[in-house]
PDB file of all heavy atoms in Angstrom:
ATOM      1  N   PHE A 185      76.056  61.837 122.871  1.00  0.00           N
ATOM      2  CA  PHE A 185      74.638  61.755 122.516  1.00  0.00           C
ATOM      3  C   PHE A 185      74.220  62.942 121.637  1.00  0.00           C
ATOM      4  O   PHE A 185      73.405  62.797 120.738  1.00  0.00           O
ATOM      5  CB  PHE A 185      73.781  61.703 123.781  1.00  0.00           C
ATOM      6  CG  PHE A 185      74.026  60.484 124.623  1.00  0.00           C
ATOM      7  CD1 PHE A 185      74.965  60.507 125.642  1.00  0.00           C
ATOM      8  CD2 PHE A 185      73.325  59.315 124.384  1.00  0.00           C
ATOM      9  CE1 PHE A 185      75.194  59.378 126.421  1.00  0.00           C
ATOM     10  CE2 PHE A 185      73.546  58.184 125.158  1.00  0.00           C
ATOM     11  CZ  PHE A 185      74.488  58.217 126.167  1.00  0.00           C
ATOM     12  N   GLU A 186      74.785  64.119 121.922  1.00  0.00           N
ATOM     13  CA  GLU A 186      74.485  65.285 121.096  1.00  0.00           C
ATOM     14  C   GLU A 186      74.980  65.083 119.672  1.00  0.00           C
ATOM     15  O   GLU A 186      74.302  65.437 118.699  1.00  0.00           O
ATOM     16  CB  GLU A 186      75.125  66.527 121.714  1.00  0.00           C
ATOM     17  CG  GLU A 186      74.507  66.929 123.055  1.00  0.00           C
ATOM     18  CD  GLU A 186      75.240  68.095 123.693  1.00  0.00           C
ATOM     19  OE1 GLU A 186      76.365  68.413 123.222  1.00  0.00           O
ATOM     20  OE2 GLU A 186      74.710  68.684 124.649  1.00  0.00           O
ATOM     21  N   LYS A 187      76.180  64.512 119.523  1.00  0.00           N
ATOM     22  CA  LYS A 187      76.709  64.229 118.187  1.00  0.00           C
ATOM     23  C   LYS A 187      75.831  63.202 117.464  1.00  0.00           C
ATOM     24  O   LYS A 187      75.613  63.308 116.257  1.00  0.00           O
ATOM     25  CB  LYS A 187      78.138  63.695 118.292  1.00  0.00           C
ATOM     26  CG  LYS A 187      79.168  64.733 118.694  1.00  0.00           C
ATOM     27  CD  LYS A 187      80.558  64.111 118.722  1.00  0.00           C
ATOM     28  CE  LYS A 187      81.622  65.137 119.079  1.00  0.00           C
ATOM     29  NZ  LYS A 187      82.976  64.535 119.131  1.00  0.00           N
ATOM     30  N   LEU A 188      75.336  62.222 118.229  1.00  0.00           N
ATOM     31  CA  LEU A 188      74.480  61.200 117.627  1.00  0.00           C
ATOM     32  C   LEU A 188      73.191  61.809 117.094  1.00  0.00           C
ATOM     33  O   LEU A 188      72.750  61.495 115.987  1.00  0.00           O
ATOM     34  CB  LEU A 188      74.170  60.112 118.666  1.00  0.00           C
ATOM     35  CG  LEU A 188      73.256  58.975 118.215  1.00  0.00           C
ATOM     36  CD1 LEU A 188      73.877  58.209 117.058  1.00  0.00           C
ATOM     37  CD2 LEU A 188      72.982  58.024 119.384  1.00  0.00           C
ATOM     38  N   VAL A 189      72.590  62.702 117.869  1.00  0.00           N
ATOM     39  CA  VAL A 189      71.351  63.351 117.441  1.00  0.00           C
ATOM     40  C   VAL A 189      71.607  64.243 116.228  1.00  0.00           C
ATOM     41  O   VAL A 189      70.829  64.247 115.259  1.00  0.00           O
ATOM     42  CB  VAL A 189      70.740  64.168 118.599  1.00  0.00           C
ATOM     43  CG1 VAL A 189      69.546  64.967 118.116  1.00  0.00           C
ATOM     44  CG2 VAL A 189      70.333  63.237 119.738  1.00  0.00           C
ATOM     45  N   LYS A 190      72.694  64.995 116.244  1.00  0.00           N
ATOM     46  CA  LYS A 190      73.017  65.867 115.115  1.00  0.00           C
ATOM     47  C   LYS A 190      73.290  65.053 113.853  1.00  0.00           C
ATOM     48  O   LYS A 190      72.884  65.442 112.750  1.00  0.00           O
ATOM     49  CB  LYS A 190      74.233  66.736 115.459  1.00  0.00           C
ATOM     50  CG  LYS A 190      73.964  67.790 116.522  1.00  0.00           C
ATOM     51  CD  LYS A 190      75.220  68.603 116.826  1.00  0.00           C
ATOM     52  CE  LYS A 190      74.944  69.654 117.899  1.00  0.00           C
ATOM     53  NZ  LYS A 190      76.182  70.435 118.225  1.00  0.00           N
ATOM     54  N   PHE A 191      73.980  63.941 114.004  1.00  0.00           N
ATOM     55  CA  PHE A 191      74.279  63.105 112.844  1.00  0.00           C
ATOM     56  C   PHE A 191      73.002  62.521 112.247  1.00  0.00           C
ATOM     57  O   PHE A 191      72.858  62.422 111.034  1.00  0.00           O
ATOM     58  CB  PHE A 191      75.232  61.977 113.249  1.00  0.00           C
ATOM     59  CG  PHE A 191      75.618  61.073 112.100  1.00  0.00           C
ATOM     60  CD1 PHE A 191      76.646  61.425 111.245  1.00  0.00           C
ATOM     61  CD2 PHE A 191      74.945  59.881 111.893  1.00  0.00           C
ATOM     62  CE1 PHE A 191      77.009  60.592 110.182  1.00  0.00           C
ATOM     63  CE2 PHE A 191      75.292  59.041 110.838  1.00  0.00           C
ATOM     64  CZ  PHE A 191      76.322  59.411 109.980  1.00  0.00           C
ATOM     65  N   SER A 192      72.069  62.129 113.123  1.00  0.00           N
ATOM     66  CA  SER A 192      70.816  61.552 112.628  1.00  0.00           C
ATOM     67  C   SER A 192      69.999  62.576 111.846  1.00  0.00           C
ATOM     68  O   SER A 192      69.253  62.230 110.936  1.00  0.00           O
ATOM     69  CB  SER A 192      69.996  60.999 113.788  1.00  0.00           C
ATOM     70  OG  SER A 192      69.547  62.043 114.640  1.00  0.00           O
ATOM     71  N   ARG A 193      70.140  63.863 112.210  1.00  0.00           N
ATOM     72  CA  ARG A 193      69.390  64.909 111.508  1.00  0.00           C
ATOM     73  C   ARG A 193      69.917  65.126 110.092  1.00  0.00           C
ATOM     74  O   ARG A 193      69.185  65.589 109.223  1.00  0.00           O
ATOM     75  CB  ARG A 193      69.474  66.214 112.297  1.00  0.00           C
ATOM     76  CG  ARG A 193      68.694  66.185 113.615  1.00  0.00           C
ATOM     77  CD  ARG A 193      68.932  67.459 114.406  1.00  0.00           C
ATOM     78  NE  ARG A 193      68.195  67.432 115.675  1.00  0.00           N
ATOM     79  CZ  ARG A 193      68.325  68.359 116.626  1.00  0.00           C
ATOM     80  NH1 ARG A 193      69.168  69.369 116.451  1.00  0.00           N
ATOM     81  NH2 ARG A 193      67.624  68.263 117.738  1.00  0.00           N
ATOM     82  N   THR A 194      71.193  64.794 109.866  1.00  0.00           N
ATOM     83  CA  THR A 194      71.771  64.985 108.547  1.00  0.00           C
ATOM     84  C   THR A 194      71.449  63.835 107.597  1.00  0.00           C
ATOM     85  O   THR A 194      71.674  63.961 106.393  1.00  0.00           O
ATOM     86  CB  THR A 194      73.296  65.135 108.643  1.00  0.00           C
ATOM     87  OG1 THR A 194      73.868  63.938 109.211  1.00  0.00           O
ATOM     88  CG2 THR A 194      73.661  66.317 109.539  1.00  0.00           C
ATOM     89  N   SER A 195      70.961  62.727 108.137  1.00  0.00           N
ATOM     90  CA  SER A 195      70.632  61.586 107.294  1.00  0.00           C
ATOM     91  C   SER A 195      69.271  61.789 106.640  1.00  0.00           C
ATOM     92  O   SER A 195      68.485  62.651 107.042  1.00  0.00           O
ATOM     93  CB  SER A 195      70.623  60.287 108.123  1.00  0.00           C
ATOM     94  OG  SER A 195      69.664  60.351 109.154  1.00  0.00           O
ATOM     95  N   GLY A 196      68.993  60.998 105.628  1.00  0.00           N
ATOM     96  CA  GLY A 196      67.740  61.140 104.890  1.00  0.00           C
ATOM     97  C   GLY A 196      66.517  60.789 105.705  1.00  0.00           C
ATOM     98  O   GLY A 196      65.435  61.331 105.487  1.00  0.00           O
ATOM     99  N   VAL A 197      66.670  59.869 106.675  1.00  0.00           N
ATOM    100  CA  VAL A 197      65.555  59.426 107.514  1.00  0.00           C
ATOM    101  C   VAL A 197      65.849  59.822 108.958  1.00  0.00           C
ATOM    102  O   VAL A 197      66.904  59.471 109.497  1.00  0.00           O
ATOM    103  CB  VAL A 197      65.352  57.901 107.416  1.00  0.00           C
ATOM    104  CG1 VAL A 197      64.179  57.453 108.289  1.00  0.00           C
ATOM    105  CG2 VAL A 197      65.140  57.482 105.975  1.00  0.00           C
ATOM    106  N   PRO A 198      64.965  60.541 109.616  1.00  0.00           N
ATOM    107  CA  PRO A 198      65.210  60.932 111.019  1.00  0.00           C
ATOM    108  C   PRO A 198      65.209  59.724 111.936  1.00  0.00           C
ATOM    109  O   PRO A 198      64.549  58.721 111.673  1.00  0.00           O
ATOM    110  CB  PRO A 198      64.046  61.880 111.330  1.00  0.00           C
ATOM    111  CG  PRO A 198      62.977  61.491 110.373  1.00  0.00           C
ATOM    112  CD  PRO A 198      63.674  61.051 109.117  1.00  0.00           C
ATOM    113  N   MET A 199      65.946  59.849 113.037  1.00  0.00           N
ATOM    114  CA  MET A 199      66.051  58.729 113.976  1.00  0.00           C
ATOM    115  C   MET A 199      64.706  58.407 114.612  1.00  0.00           C
ATOM    116  O   MET A 199      64.449  57.271 115.004  1.00  0.00           O
ATOM    117  CB  MET A 199      67.088  59.040 115.056  1.00  0.00           C
ATOM    118  CG  MET A 199      67.437  57.837 115.926  1.00  0.00           C
ATOM    119  SD  MET A 199      68.906  58.081 116.943  1.00  0.00           S
ATOM    120  CE  MET A 199      68.393  59.438 117.979  1.00  0.00           C
ATOM    121  N   SER A 200      63.840  59.403 114.732  1.00  0.00           N
ATOM    122  CA  SER A 200      62.512  59.172 115.307  1.00  0.00           C
ATOM    123  C   SER A 200      61.728  58.141 114.492  1.00  0.00           C
ATOM    124  O   SER A 200      60.912  57.394 115.046  1.00  0.00           O
ATOM    125  CB  SER A 200      61.728  60.478 115.394  1.00  0.00           C
ATOM    126  OG  SER A 200      61.584  61.070 114.111  1.00  0.00           O
ATOM    127  N   ARG A 201      61.965  58.113 113.184  1.00  0.00           N
ATOM    128  CA  ARG A 201      61.283  57.125 112.341  1.00  0.00           C
ATOM    129  C   ARG A 201      61.758  55.719 112.668  1.00  0.00           C
ATOM    130  O   ARG A 201      60.950  54.780 112.741  1.00  0.00           O
ATOM    131  CB  ARG A 201      61.538  57.438 110.864  1.00  0.00           C
ATOM    132  CG  ARG A 201      60.929  56.420 109.895  1.00  0.00           C
ATOM    133  CD  ARG A 201      59.412  56.423 109.980  1.00  0.00           C
ATOM    134  NE  ARG A 201      58.843  55.363 109.145  1.00  0.00           N
ATOM    135  CZ  ARG A 201      57.553  55.179 108.941  1.00  0.00           C
ATOM    136  NH1 ARG A 201      56.688  55.990 109.542  1.00  0.00           N
ATOM    137  NH2 ARG A 201      57.113  54.212 108.185  1.00  0.00           N
ATOM    138  N   TYR A 202      63.046  55.566 112.894  1.00  0.00           N
ATOM    139  CA  TYR A 202      63.582  54.254 113.269  1.00  0.00           C
ATOM    140  C   TYR A 202      63.055  53.817 114.637  1.00  0.00           C
ATOM    141  O   TYR A 202      62.751  52.637 114.850  1.00  0.00           O
ATOM    142  CB  TYR A 202      65.108  54.287 113.293  1.00  0.00           C
ATOM    143  CG  TYR A 202      65.753  54.515 111.946  1.00  0.00           C
ATOM    144  CD1 TYR A 202      66.433  55.692 111.667  1.00  0.00           C
ATOM    145  CD2 TYR A 202      65.685  53.547 110.945  1.00  0.00           C
ATOM    146  CE1 TYR A 202      67.028  55.909 110.434  1.00  0.00           C
ATOM    147  CE2 TYR A 202      66.276  53.751 109.705  1.00  0.00           C
ATOM    148  CZ  TYR A 202      66.945  54.938 109.456  1.00  0.00           C
ATOM    149  OH  TYR A 202      67.526  55.149 108.230  1.00  0.00           O
ATOM    150  N   VAL A 203      62.960  54.771 115.550  1.00  0.00           N
ATOM    151  CA  VAL A 203      62.420  54.456 116.880  1.00  0.00           C
ATOM    152  C   VAL A 203      60.968  54.005 116.758  1.00  0.00           C
ATOM    153  O   VAL A 203      60.556  53.016 117.389  1.00  0.00           O
ATOM    154  CB  VAL A 203      62.539  55.682 117.803  1.00  0.00           C
ATOM    155  CG1 VAL A 203      61.839  55.409 119.134  1.00  0.00           C
ATOM    156  CG2 VAL A 203      63.991  56.032 118.039  1.00  0.00           C
ATOM    157  N   PHE A 204      60.188  54.725 115.975  1.00  0.00           N
ATOM    158  CA  PHE A 204      58.782  54.364 115.785  1.00  0.00           C
ATOM    159  C   PHE A 204      58.657  52.963 115.175  1.00  0.00           C
ATOM    160  O   PHE A 204      57.845  52.145 115.638  1.00  0.00           O
ATOM    161  CB  PHE A 204      58.108  55.391 114.875  1.00  0.00           C
ATOM    162  CG  PHE A 204      56.687  55.053 114.518  1.00  0.00           C
ATOM    163  CD1 PHE A 204      55.659  55.263 115.423  1.00  0.00           C
ATOM    164  CD2 PHE A 204      56.380  54.501 113.275  1.00  0.00           C
ATOM    165  CE1 PHE A 204      54.344  54.943 115.099  1.00  0.00           C
ATOM    166  CE2 PHE A 204      55.074  54.181 112.936  1.00  0.00           C
ATOM    167  CZ  PHE A 204      54.050  54.399 113.849  1.00  0.00           C
ATOM    168  N   ASN A 205      59.451  52.666 114.145  1.00  0.00           N
ATOM    169  CA  ASN A 205      59.408  51.338 113.527  1.00  0.00           C
ATOM    170  C   ASN A 205      59.754  50.244 114.530  1.00  0.00           C
ATOM    171  O   ASN A 205      59.095  49.198 114.581  1.00  0.00           O
ATOM    172  CB  ASN A 205      60.378  51.275 112.342  1.00  0.00           C
ATOM    173  CG  ASN A 205      59.943  52.139 111.185  1.00  0.00           C
ATOM    174  OD1 ASN A 205      58.783  52.532 111.080  1.00  0.00           O
ATOM    175  ND2 ASN A 205      60.875  52.463 110.308  1.00  0.00           N
ATOM    176  N   SER A 206      60.788  50.477 115.336  1.00  0.00           N
ATOM    177  CA  SER A 206      61.203  49.465 116.311  1.00  0.00           C
ATOM    178  C   SER A 206      60.134  49.230 117.363  1.00  0.00           C
ATOM    179  O   SER A 206      59.890  48.093 117.770  1.00  0.00           O
ATOM    180  CB  SER A 206      62.517  49.889 116.985  1.00  0.00           C
ATOM    181  OG  SER A 206      63.593  49.789 116.093  1.00  0.00           O
ATOM    182  N   LEU A 207      59.487  50.304 117.824  1.00  0.00           N
ATOM    183  CA  LEU A 207      58.437  50.153 118.831  1.00  0.00           C
ATOM    184  C   LEU A 207      57.259  49.349 118.278  1.00  0.00           C
ATOM    185  O   LEU A 207      56.753  48.434 118.945  1.00  0.00           O
ATOM    186  CB  LEU A 207      57.964  51.524 119.308  1.00  0.00           C
ATOM    187  CG  LEU A 207      58.965  52.342 120.136  1.00  0.00           C
ATOM    188  CD1 LEU A 207      58.395  53.710 120.463  1.00  0.00           C
ATOM    189  CD2 LEU A 207      59.338  51.599 121.412  1.00  0.00           C
ATOM    190  N   ILE A 208      56.823  49.686 117.064  1.00  0.00           N
ATOM    191  CA  ILE A 208      55.700  48.965 116.467  1.00  0.00           C
ATOM    192  C   ILE A 208      56.052  47.505 116.245  1.00  0.00           C
ATOM    193  O   ILE A 208      55.293  46.588 116.601  1.00  0.00           O
ATOM    194  CB  ILE A 208      55.290  49.626 115.137  1.00  0.00           C
ATOM    195  CG1 ILE A 208      54.738  51.032 115.390  1.00  0.00           C
ATOM    196  CG2 ILE A 208      54.251  48.778 114.417  1.00  0.00           C
ATOM    197  CD1 ILE A 208      53.484  51.078 116.212  1.00  0.00           C
ATOM    198  N   VAL A 209      57.228  47.260 115.671  1.00  0.00           N
ATOM    199  CA  VAL A 209      57.644  45.881 115.381  1.00  0.00           C
ATOM    200  C   VAL A 209      57.817  45.083 116.671  1.00  0.00           C
ATOM    201  O   VAL A 209      57.369  43.931 116.764  1.00  0.00           O
ATOM    202  CB  VAL A 209      58.954  45.890 114.573  1.00  0.00           C
ATOM    203  CG1 VAL A 209      59.553  44.483 114.492  1.00  0.00           C
ATOM    204  CG2 VAL A 209      58.710  46.423 113.172  1.00  0.00           C
ATOM    205  N   THR A 210      58.425  45.675 117.676  1.00  0.00           N
ATOM    206  CA  THR A 210      58.686  44.953 118.924  1.00  0.00           C
ATOM    207  C   THR A 210      57.385  44.617 119.647  1.00  0.00           C
ATOM    208  O   THR A 210      57.196  43.487 120.106  1.00  0.00           O
ATOM    209  CB  THR A 210      59.594  45.798 119.839  1.00  0.00           C
ATOM    210  OG1 THR A 210      60.815  46.082 119.162  1.00  0.00           O
ATOM    211  CG2 THR A 210      59.893  45.042 121.125  1.00  0.00           C
ATOM    212  N   VAL A 211      56.489  45.580 119.763  1.00  0.00           N
ATOM    213  CA  VAL A 211      55.220  45.346 120.468  1.00  0.00           C
ATOM    214  C   VAL A 211      54.395  44.280 119.762  1.00  0.00           C
ATOM    215  O   VAL A 211      53.889  43.331 120.398  1.00  0.00           O
ATOM    216  CB  VAL A 211      54.427  46.654 120.593  1.00  0.00           C
ATOM    217  CG1 VAL A 211      53.015  46.374 121.112  1.00  0.00           C
ATOM    218  CG2 VAL A 211      55.138  47.624 121.533  1.00  0.00           C
ATOM    219  N   LEU A 212      54.257  44.393 118.450  1.00  0.00           N
ATOM    220  CA  LEU A 212      53.451  43.421 117.706  1.00  0.00           C
ATOM    221  C   LEU A 212      54.087  42.037 117.728  1.00  0.00           C
ATOM    222  O   LEU A 212      53.400  41.028 117.924  1.00  0.00           O
ATOM    223  CB  LEU A 212      53.263  43.889 116.267  1.00  0.00           C
ATOM    224  CG  LEU A 212      52.339  45.094 116.048  1.00  0.00           C
ATOM    225  CD1 LEU A 212      52.297  45.486 114.584  1.00  0.00           C
ATOM    226  CD2 LEU A 212      50.931  44.786 116.547  1.00  0.00           C
ATOM    227  N   THR A 213      55.378  41.973 117.530  1.00  0.00           N
ATOM    228  CA  THR A 213      56.057  40.671 117.487  1.00  0.00           C
ATOM    229  C   THR A 213      56.015  39.976 118.836  1.00  0.00           C
ATOM    230  O   THR A 213      55.702  38.782 118.924  1.00  0.00           O
ATOM    231  CB  THR A 213      57.513  40.835 117.029  1.00  0.00           C
ATOM    232  OG1 THR A 213      57.551  41.523 115.780  1.00  0.00           O
ATOM    233  CG2 THR A 213      58.179  39.479 116.864  1.00  0.00           C
ATOM    234  N   VAL A 214      56.337  40.706 119.894  1.00  0.00           N
ATOM    235  CA  VAL A 214      56.322  40.105 121.227  1.00  0.00           C
ATOM    236  C   VAL A 214      54.910  39.681 121.608  1.00  0.00           C
ATOM    237  O   VAL A 214      54.686  38.572 122.125  1.00  0.00           O
ATOM    238  CB  VAL A 214      56.906  41.081 122.268  1.00  0.00           C
ATOM    239  CG1 VAL A 214      56.728  40.519 123.681  1.00  0.00           C
ATOM    240  CG2 VAL A 214      58.387  41.330 121.996  1.00  0.00           C
ATOM    241  N   GLY A 215      53.926  40.538 121.346  1.00  0.00           N
ATOM    242  CA  GLY A 215      52.543  40.210 121.683  1.00  0.00           C
ATOM    243  C   GLY A 215      52.026  38.995 120.930  1.00  0.00           C
ATOM    244  O   GLY A 215      51.459  38.075 121.534  1.00  0.00           O
ATOM    245  N   LEU A 216      52.219  38.966 119.623  1.00  0.00           N
ATOM    246  CA  LEU A 216      51.759  37.830 118.819  1.00  0.00           C
ATOM    247  C   LEU A 216      52.536  36.564 119.152  1.00  0.00           C
ATOM    248  O   LEU A 216      51.961  35.468 119.199  1.00  0.00           O
ATOM    249  CB  LEU A 216      51.892  38.152 117.330  1.00  0.00           C
ATOM    250  CG  LEU A 216      50.949  39.233 116.787  1.00  0.00           C
ATOM    251  CD1 LEU A 216      51.291  39.567 115.347  1.00  0.00           C
ATOM    252  CD2 LEU A 216      49.492  38.768 116.891  1.00  0.00           C
ATOM    253  N   SER A 217      53.820  36.709 119.394  1.00  0.00           N
ATOM    254  CA  SER A 217      54.632  35.533 119.733  1.00  0.00           C
ATOM    255  C   SER A 217      54.178  34.900 121.043  1.00  0.00           C
ATOM    256  O   SER A 217      54.040  33.677 121.140  1.00  0.00           O
ATOM    257  CB  SER A 217      56.108  35.934 119.829  1.00  0.00           C
ATOM    258  OG  SER A 217      56.910  34.816 120.171  1.00  0.00           O
TER     259      SER A 217
END
């Protein structure tokens, strides 16, 4: 898990952004569906 976090920091987009996108998409999609 530590390697995963370190690797995500080296990428252009932080993993927190992907988490935020997934939460927004999942909540809206499930709710509307």
Side-chain angles (χ1 to χ4, degrees):
F185 297 92
E186 293 175 347
K187 288 182 178 179
L188 179 61
V189 174
K190 291 179 180 179
F191 181 83
S192 67
R193 290 174 180 173
T194 61
S195 60
V197 180
M199 190 167 63
S200 59
R201 177 65 185 185
Y202 294 112
V203 174
F204 175 78
N205 292 341
S206 289
L207 291 176
I208 294 297
V209 169
T210 301
V211 171
L212 289 177
T213 305
V214 173
L216 292 174
S217 179

